[in-house]
Amino acid sequence: MDGTLVGLVAFGSVIGLLAIRVPIAFALALVAAVGSFVMFAFRTGDFTPLRAIRPTTSMVFSNSFDLIHSYDLSMIPLFVALGHIAYRADITTKIYHAARVWLARVPGGVAMASVVGCGGFSAITGSSIACASTMGRICSPEMLRMGYDKRLATASVAAGGTLGSLIPPSVLFIIYGIFTETSISALFLAGILPGLISLLGFILVIYLWVWRDPSAAPAFTGTITGRDKVQAAIDAWPAVALFAIIVGGIYGGIFTATEAAAICVSAAVVIGFLQRKLTLKALWESLRETCIQTASIFLIAAAAKIFVAFIALTGVAPAIVNAVTDAQLSPVVLLIAIAAIYLLLGMFLDPIGIMVLTLPLMIPLVEGYGFDLIWFGVVVIKLLEIGLITPPVGLNVFVISGVVGREVPIDRIFAGILRFLTIDVLVLILIMSFPIISLLIPGSM
Amino acid sequence: MLHRIERLLLDLAAFAVAGLCLLITVSVVLRATVNGGIPDTIVMVAELMVAAIVLPLAAATTARAHIVVEFLSNMLSPGAQDRLIVLGSLVGVLALMPLLYAGWNEAAKNIASGSFYFGELSLPKWPGRIIFLVGLSFCWLRLLLMAVDDIRTIRAGGHIDADGGKTVDLMAERD
Amino acid sequence: AETRLILGEAGPNRGARAAALQHFVDEVTARTDGEVVIDVQWGGALFKANAAAGSIADGVADLGTIISVYFPQEMVGYGIADLPVVNSDAWVGMRATDDLMRGSEEIQANLADQNLVYLGTFTTSAVNIGCKDAAIRSVADIEGLKVRGVGAYGDTFKDFGANMVPMSIYDAYQGLDTGLLDCSQGYSYAVGALKQEEVMTSYTLLNWGQVGALGIFMNKDVYDGLDEGIQTAMADAGVAMADKLGELITADNEAAVEKMRAVGVEIIELDAVERDKLVETGAQYVDAWAERASGVGIDGTALLAEYDALLAKYAAERDDQGYPWTR
Ligand code: NA
Ligand code: NA
């Protein structure tokens, strides 16, 4: 059985199923299961369906169970819970009020503040999904309440969430470092400047968006005195305290980034009760909402993991890389081809999955061309981050969709994403053309 | 009946999130204060994660919280959209079947072999597998019943409320 | 006709262990005159390390790497190579383990029950410990330190009063850097690969034991379907793999220690008297293992005696003839 053909048919089937409104998780899981069954059935050459049942079910189970059975990923439900609890304890509203008052003169100021918040949150979490889940829960509903354009209120945070892996710490850089035997600390440093440039790019998008269409971000109409500003800033202390606890705890060597999530939730609960803003009932409702929301996100992530294992069986990724290798392209064309491959795979697969499928072949190839592996790492991570917000499978977009529910349909979020994607591609070209942007900081350390 | 079970499972999941949060918090506090800790925190948190993620799946299904792409289907007639909703549930029923079959095998295998995790407490591997199986089974059952229900609604000339009309009362306090 | 087999490996295709695995793959093809070709799926694309035993037994891959620590029950016999018994020589450890796995009918039967066949072994090599702003010169120094440790070695550090911090080896750099960790258990080559020398001030060579219960296993149904000649070729390639890894990892470890010295990390060789205290305290975990092994019908005590004899045998071979790659 030609694995590449099966793989391509599978990609097509996923698009087809998604187009007819099949839930994303089910579409991915079913196609992966059927595809794996076919691959296993033809494993020995002739068609032996009975022998395919055991490996297929085993693979489907282990890949989904292992994704969920994870200490590290506990930070995702915890950070989602933080968003819910902070909202019910009035912590998020206060910080938003402060942002609004302080940035009243800046068109789209709150959206910009949200993206900056994503950048700040990236400095404490290594996962884009965690970044999008937390900031999404905190920012998007508030922006929607302020009458922001639905696309802007959602897409800005979905895009901002992608900073999570570019700004250190970063799970993706760690995995890349393991696969390439490059210094993880050098990779972390290399991501800082490209991450900040991406952040500025997103702010530029918001600025242009609101400049062309002021109604997308209604201005604060009341009069604001200096005293209002001071009061708003004082009222926002719980959020500032939470942030200080996380940053201080991680960089002060008191707890790990994973533990930070739990500490933060506990701290928010304590603050909420002390301020008499949170009740036991509200806390319980927050946890139930957290569960519903994370369950649907994890179901998609688990299905995506099964899909990655299936794609590994088909050998479609090495087939693509080998085709590029055989073509003996010039360095520039090779880079463009690599970008195309990652963008294409990024449409369907999750970042870690893409890395384990491609890096073993891709790295020897780019080494042969004499590329700097640290710089190439930044390029790859940026490409993978873009994949998190491209249709049809864009995990960050799904995370935001899980937060806002049916108030904003997915295609509206993707429509908003389009503007951020434009700047992302420009930033990508910048990073690819000028390796110094990535290598400046690690080189000076 | 199924609704009550779903709510119970959701509450158990909420307990699991609270539990893993507490577990991590306490181990950090113990480490920072008395130079101590809780053994096998990592394993226990991972097991609680299974409960937190899988047990709410049935409730999420009832709430129609599974994420879909609908801009193409929105161009179709309401009747056609209803049929696609049913199709989505049926695809879910099919997609979960290999997982259920494997989940059953895994749970049985781990109970029989006495598999455990390396660690001070040598915690058994079966609880997480059982939780996984239970959560998925009720999700599967809910999908199936939902599809049957929706087909009935369509046959009776009705319209499916894709906005998850039951979300509200699921989220509300127990009656 | 050409037989294509799929090998699932959770690690990356980098480093000494990957090179040894590739050596195994190439040797199998060479020794079967191209009849058997093995495609490696790196990075756990098919299954993660904690699902390896079941995935290989179920035929997700035909063969693959199993790391015993994830399967203390299923891999109990193999777990002997993870025990804190005295032997810090990578090559000696691997060859002794390899002999034991091939020689013990109890272990083979236990694996066969799980539809598995042993093919070859790796090691992570000697367990040592690196610290920042702390130094372990005696076991008394362990008291009160925040330590990242694994397996029975970590348990032993805990017994000496260490405060264990759950963390992966990949996060240890940051942990040491921020002060969340005082010390991290590890292997010299891994310190080098992860650039941990940048954040360490001291590195104590324990001259103690290894974590060596990780190796290649095959789906028994698939294995039984191969000709006897091919089976022999795979076994030989497995032994050759241990020699290859011994050569690579010994060089890597030495280079890493040199690099640590060069950047000013204090290299401490733990006194034999102090080391013996570690061994003595670690003995309870060896006993616990023997008891667990008996539970599945493997005579743990007898196996330990055999293992000790094999360690002595290969140590003597090394002393007489040198390592295979220097002969
Ligand atoms: Na980050
Ligand atoms: Na995508």
Side-chain angles (χ1 to χ4, degrees):
Chain A
M1 198 71 204
D2 180 16
T4 311
L5 181 68
V6 176
L8 295 178
V9 170
F11 284 132
S13 308
V14 169
I15 295 186
L17 288 173
L18 294 186
I20 56 169
R21 208 194 172 282
V22 170
I24 292 146
F26 299 149
L28 286 169
L30 185 68
V31 171
V34 172
S36 307
F37 183 81
V38 171
M39 290 307 297
F40 282 122
F42 282 103
R43 185 80 182 77
T44 48
D46 38 336
F47 186 64
T48 49
L50 281 179
R51 291 231 304 265
I53 293 173
R54 195 171 161 193
T56 304
T57 53
S58 175
M59 192 179 91
V60 162
F61 174 86
S62 74
N63 280 286
S64 50
F65 185 82
D66 290 341
L67 180 99
I68 297 165
H69 190 266
S70 163
Y71 173 79
D72 289 332
L73 290 187
S74 68
M75 70 156 76
I76 293 179
L78 285 171
F79 276 133
V80 171
L82 175 68
H84 283 281
I85 292 167
Y87 170 72
R88 291 193 184 243
D90 231 12
I91 296 173
T92 53
T93 318
K94 286 279 158 39
I95 187 91
Y96 262 86
H97 181 67
R100 198 169 197 195
V101 169
W102 280 82
L103 300 170
R105 302 277 164 267
V106 185
V110 176
M112 291 178 188
S114 301
V115 171
V116 173
C118 287
F121 199 79
S122 309
I124 55 175
T125 177
S127 149
S128 297
I129 307 285
C131 197
S133 331
T134 318
M135 297 308 289
R137 180 63 193 83
I138 295 172
C139 307
S140 293
E142 295 283 347
M143 280 191 274
L144 289 172
R145 276 208 316 200
M146 292 178 195
Y148 269 57
D149 183 312
K150 290 179 175 177
R151 292 168 302 169
L152 178 59
T154 51
S156 56
V157 191
T162 67
L163 298 169
S165 297
L166 217 46
I167 295 174
S170 161
V171 174
L172 297 188
F173 272 133
I174 291 178
I175 294 171
Y176 179 88
I178 294 168
F179 268 89
T180 53
E181 286 195 307
T182 43
S183 162
I184 292 168
S185 45
L187 287 167
F188 277 7
L189 293 172
I192 295 176
L193 217 47
L196 292 177
I197 292 174
S198 302
L199 173 61
L200 288 177
F202 293 154
I203 290 176
L204 181 67
V205 169
I206 297 169
Y207 178 80
L208 292 174
W209 188 330
V210 178
W211 174 65
R212 282 189 52 193
D213 174 17
S215 69
F220 193 85
T221 43
T223 48
I224 300 158
T225 63
R227 181 185 232 155
D228 289 338
K229 286 190 178 182
V230 173
Q231 189 58 47
I234 291 172
D235 288 345
W237 75 265
V240 178
L242 282 181
F243 195 71
I245 289 173
I246 313 190
V247 174
I250 293 176
Y251 290 96
I254 300 169
F255 44 73
T256 65
T258 312
E259 290 166 341
I263 297 295
C264 218
V265 171
S266 302
V269 170
V270 170
I271 292 175
F273 279 124
L274 285 181
Q275 285 205 311
R276 298 177 182 282
K277 293 276 172 54
L278 193 65
T279 61
L280 210 53
K281 185 180 155 192
L283 174 61
W284 199 247
E285 284 310 305
S286 306
L287 291 178
R288 294 168 113 206
E289 282 172 48
T290 299
C291 288
I292 294 267
Q293 189 184 325
T294 32
S296 49
I297 296 298
F298 267 82
L299 191 65
I300 295 180
K305 208 89 221 160
I306 303 173
F307 198 78
V308 166
F310 155 64
I311 291 299
L313 273 183
T314 63
V316 70
I320 297 174
V321 177
N322 286 336
V324 171
T325 310
D326 294 343
Q328 305 208 327
L329 307 168
S330 72
V332 175
V333 180
L334 174 78
L335 263 185
I336 295 171
I338 288 175
I341 291 174
Y342 279 103
L343 291 176
L344 205 70
L345 293 175
M347 288 170 63
F348 295 92
L349 306 174
D350 76 299
I352 295 175
I354 297 173
M355 280 206 279
V356 300
L357 288 176
T358 59
L359 287 186
L361 292 147
M362 193 67 91
I363 294 305
L365 173 65
V366 300
E367 268 183 320
Y369 276 76
F371 291 161
D372 183 287
L373 285 183
I374 300 282
W375 161 73
F376 186 70
V378 175
V379 171
V380 167
I381 303 303
K382 182 67 194 171
L383 283 163
L384 295 176
E385 294 278 40
I386 292 176
L388 284 173
I389 49 172
T390 55
V393 181
L395 282 175
N396 266 17
V397 173
F398 299 159
V399 165
I400 303 299
S401 171
V403 173
V404 297
R406 307 187 63 84
E407 191 178 346
V408 188
I410 285 227
D411 52 287
R412 302 308 294 153
I413 309 181
F414 275 127
I417 284 290
L418 204 60
R419 307 184 189 208
F420 291 95
L421 270 180
T422 319
I423 205 82
D424 256 344
V425 171
L426 291 177
V427 171
L428 178 71
I429 293 172
L430 206 63
I431 296 172
M432 285 166 66
S433 314
F434 302 100
I436 186 71
I437 297 173
S438 309
L439 301 177
L440 187 66
I441 297 184
S444 63
M445 288 283 170
Chain B
M1 182 62 195
L2 193 55
H3 274 292
R4 276 168 186 275
I5 296 174
E6 274 168 11
R7 234 185 280 174
L8 173 72
L9 293 178
L10 183 58
D11 280 338
L12 287 175
F15 261 117
V17 174
L20 66 89
C21 181
L22 207 62
L23 203 55
I24 298 174
T25 304
V26 170
S27 58
V28 169
V29 170
L30 286 179
R31 186 172 69 224
T33 54
V34 298
N35 217 19
I38 301 172
D40 293 353
T41 310
I42 291 191
V43 176
M44 288 191 273
V45 167
E47 293 279 300
L48 286 171
M49 272 291 283
V50 179
I53 302 302
V54 177
L55 293 183
L57 281 175
T61 303
T62 306
R64 298 195 196 261
H66 297 304
I67 299 166
V68 294
V69 180
E70 42 188 7
F71 77 101
L72 279 174
S73 61
N74 279 347
M75 298 171 190
L76 302 174
S77 69
Q81 290 185 34
D82 286 352
R83 283 173 177 80
L84 290 183
I85 291 175
V86 174
L87 178 74
S89 301
L90 292 176
V91 169
V93 168
L94 285 177
L96 292 186
M97 271 163 47
L99 274 170
L100 284 180
Y101 174 79
W104 178 263
N105 284 344
E106 273 285 323
K109 195 173 86 185
N110 279 284
I111 290 174
S113 68
S115 279
F116 62 93
Y117 291 103
F118 188 92
E120 282 179 70
L121 305 177
S122 296
L123 295 168
K125 282 185 180 175
W126 60 261
R129 266 88 177 162
I130 294 277
I131 294 169
F132 187 82
L133 182 63
V134 168
L136 279 185
S137 300
F138 281 103
C139 178
W140 185 83
L141 192 61
R142 172 50 76 197
L143 278 168
L144 190 66
L145 293 178
M146 213 160 163
V148 172
D149 244 19
D150 289 349
I151 290 171
R152 274 204 201 118
T153 309
I154 294 172
R155 285 240 170 120
H159 174 59
I160 301 173
D161 177 15
D163 289 350
K166 286 153 187 162
T167 321
V168 184
D169 54 85
L170 188 85
M171 282 316 205
E173 268 308 277
R174 287 157 207 255
D175 27 294
Chain C
E2 182 192 88
T3 306
R4 288 197 93 87
L5 300 173
I6 296 180
L7 189 154
E9 155 68 42
N13 61 338
R14 285 284 171 143
R17 195 159 74 80
L21 177 62
Q22 189 62 51
H23 185 259
F24 168 82
V25 167
D26 296 341
E27 282 289 297
V28 168
T29 304
R31 286 166 195 260
T32 57
D33 295 324
E35 209 177 307
V36 177
V37 178
I38 299 176
D39 294 326
V40 185
Q41 285 286 352
W42 303 95
L46 283 176
F47 47 82
K48 294 278 165 290
N50 55 6
S55 297
I56 296 164
D58 290 337
V60 177
D62 300 305
L63 65 168
T65 306
I66 295 181
I67 302 174
S68 170
V69 73
Y70 293 109
F71 306 96
Q73 173 76 5
E74 292 82 349
M75 291 287 137
V76 60
Y78 196 24
I80 195 169
D82 277 348
L83 296 177
V85 297
V86 179
N87 166 48
S88 57
D89 188 303
W91 179 77
V92 170
M94 279 189 286
R95 290 300 296 269
T97 306
D98 188 71
D99 255 21
L100 198 70
M101 292 297 285
R102 290 183 204 284
S104 164
E105 284 177 14
E106 287 169 336
I107 293 181
Q108 281 171 13
N110 177 264
L111 289 173
D113 282 346
Q114 304 173 54
N115 200 28
L116 293 172
V117 176
Y118 167 85
L119 288 184
T121 198
F122 299 112
T123 183
T124 51
S125 79
V127 168
N128 296 311
I129 189 163
C131 304
K132 185 193 182 196
D133 301 330
I136 297 179
R137 295 168 211 283
S138 70
V139 293
D141 294 335
I142 297 171
E143 171 94 44
L145 292 176
K146 285 176 282 180
V147 175
R148 187 203 75 85
V150 288
Y153 299 92
D155 293 341
T156 309
F157 292 134
K158 191 176 181 192
D159 292 335
F160 278 102
N163 183 5
M164 306 311 289
V165 183
M167 192 184 278
S168 85
I169 196 166
Y170 301 109
D171 294 325
Y173 182 101
Q174 213 197 353
L176 288 166
D177 197 25
T178 61
L180 180 58
L181 285 181
D182 295 315
C183 305
S184 173
Q185 175 189 327
Y187 326 101
S188 304
Y189 74 89
V191 171
L194 297 171
K195 316 274 188 264
Q196 288 173 352
E197 72 275 356
E198 294 172 8
V199 289
M200 281 177 179
T201 56
S202 78
Y203 186 72
T204 304
L205 300 169
L206 299 172
N207 193 18
W208 186 10
Q210 309 182 31
V211 173
L214 62 167
I216 302 181
F217 291 78
M218 188 160 182
N219 179 293
K220 189 166 183 301
D221 295 335
V222 177
Y223 181 83
D224 290 343
L226 299 173
D227 297 342
E228 208 167 312
I230 293 178
Q231 292 177 346
T232 310
M234 294 186 101
D236 293 347
V239 177
M241 179 176 82
D243 287 348
K244 189 69 192 174
L245 182 57
E247 177 182 0
L248 297 172
I249 213 165
T250 305
D252 281 5
N253 281 341
E254 282 166 8
V257 172
E258 272 321 300
K259 198 167 112 197
M260 285 183 242
R261 275 211 180 88
V263 298
V265 177
E266 184 191 358
I267 306 294
I268 303 163
E269 297 209 30
L270 191 69
D271 194 78
V273 178
E274 295 297 315
R275 189 270 317 271
D276 290 344
K277 290 181 191 164
L278 289 173
V279 177
E280 199 180 307
T281 304
Q284 56 178 307
Y285 303 107
V286 178
D287 296 341
W289 170 83
E291 199 173 308
R292 249 190 1 254
S294 310
V296 298
I298 295 173
D299 186 345
T301 319
L303 212 58
L304 275 167
E306 201 181 333
Y307 188 48
D308 274 340
L310 285 166
L311 286 173
K313 174 187 157 191
Y314 283 102
E317 183 180 325
R318 172 203 57 197
D319 294 342
D320 290 349
Q321 308 172 34
Y323 292 117
W325 57 93
T326 58
R327 285 171 202 167

